[in-house]
Amino acid sequence: MTDSLGTNDFYTIENAEPDAHGLIELPVISLREGAIFPNVISPIALLGKRAIRAAETTQEAIHTVIGVARLDHESVDPGADKLHTIGVELALGRILRMPDDSFSALGQGRRRVEIVEFTQTKPYLIAKARPLEEINLNTRKTQATMQAVLNLFRRAIELNDNIPEEVLLYALNANNPGWLADLIASTLALTLEDRQSLLETLDAEARLHRVAELLNEEINVLELKDEITSQVQ
């Protein structure tokens, strides 16, 4: 069976090597869908000539790209001043032409980065960025929090048919709080602001606590819908 989406391509793409100043320099793609999380595969709409050219260049050179959410969600092809500064290094799968003649690709999040300067704006954006170190503590309290969040996630999956059950298997095997928080966050119907805030939270335990709050909110809504549906029937 052929890999029509190019997901196998991810394994041939290595993270960018930092220079002597600890910076990486890569093409930049603006994300209409909001922040993408490390260790998660997400669909990416390639909107505007700069995004498409950046994706093509990335694939020709077989290297990663920086994905950052837009400040102006209505802009089709935003410039450097219309983007968040904290994003994620991404590996892109094959570029796909959609039925409406737009373009998209699957992106695999690698690590959080902070853009420090743009070195090119045309024909596509290029930026220097600093890979960000997360705070991932493995304490008894952290393990207890992870278990509590997993129990909440189980309940959310029971109530929401849109979350594939196999995602729970990945969550059960997440070996640190940051990975677990990012994985679960990627499945929730979050606002663009909440997605960006979680991406910018480098303290993994704090991020996991926030995901627990968001999970509780979603479960309350789903349980209310379930109750209303039962009453109507």
Side-chain angles (χ1 to χ4, degrees):
M1 182 181 294
T2 58
D3 176 30
S4 59
L5 299 181
T7 53
N8 289 338
D9 298 343
F10 296 146
Y11 301 104
T12 65
I13 303 173
E14 297 183 355
N15 290 352
E17 280 291 328
D19 62 17
H21 302 288
L23 302 178
I24 59 177
E25 187 171 13
L26 292 170
V28 175
I29 290 177
S30 63
L31 303 175
R32 182 186 65 179
E33 305 86 352
I36 289 176
F37 299 102
N39 301 307
V40 174
I41 295 176
S42 305
I44 298 173
L46 301 174
L47 301 176
K49 294 180 180 179
R50 280 191 281 208
I52 295 170
R53 188 69 190 100
E56 291 173 341
T57 300
T58 294
Q59 294 200 327
E60 289 166 4
I62 314 178
H63 58 59
T64 50
V65 66
I66 295 171
V68 285
R70 304 171 178 189
L71 291 169
D72 178 6
H73 306 306
E74 301 302 321
S75 177
V76 175
D77 200 8
D81 60 335
K82 300 296 184 181
L83 301 175
H84 285 277
T85 56
I86 293 181
V88 67
E89 184 179 3
L90 292 166
L92 288 182
R94 194 163 300 124
I95 298 174
L96 304 173
R97 182 187 289 273
M98 307 308 288
D100 62 357
D101 285 333
S102 64
F103 294 88
S104 70
L106 289 181
Q108 181 193 51
R110 293 292 178 82
R111 55 184 171 179
R112 286 168 166 81
V113 298
E114 180 178 16
I115 293 175
V116 296
E117 68 170 318
F118 284 89
T119 57
Q120 175 180 299
T121 57
K122 294 181 179 181
Y124 55 90
L125 298 172
I126 295 179
K128 288 185 177 181
R130 178 179 293 105
L132 298 173
E133 292 293 329
E134 297 186 43
I135 304 170
N136 261 308
L137 299 179
N138 191 10
T139 65
R140 291 178 62 183
K141 181 182 177 183
T142 301
Q143 291 297 318
T145 303
M146 290 176 67
Q147 189 57 55
V149 171
L150 280 170
N151 290 337
L152 285 173
F153 193 43
R154 282 192 179 94
R155 180 59 179 153
I157 290 175
E158 290 173 0
L159 294 166
N160 190 349
D161 294 335
N162 293 324
I163 302 177
E165 289 190 11
E166 56 265 27
V167 176
L168 180 58
L169 296 178
Y170 291 108
L172 289 169
N173 287 282
N175 57 13
N176 66 64
W179 184 10
L180 180 62
D182 290 344
L183 177 61
I184 293 176
S186 71
T187 70
L188 302 179
L190 303 179
T191 65
L192 297 177
E193 291 74 19
D194 278 333
R195 292 182 71 88
Q196 186 64 30
S197 176
L198 288 171
L199 186 72
E200 294 181 4
T201 303
L202 299 183
D203 186 318
E205 189 166 356
R207 192 160 75 245
L208 191 60
H209 277 290
R210 179 57 182 150
V211 167
E213 293 174 356
L214 294 166
L215 256 178
N216 264 317
E217 292 174 9
E218 181 148 324
I219 288 170
N220 289 337
V221 172
L222 291 169
E223 287 179 338
L224 181 58
K225 286 182 178 179
D226 196 45
E227 181 181 340
I228 293 172
T229 301
S230 298
Q231 290 174 351
V232 171
Q233 291 177 345

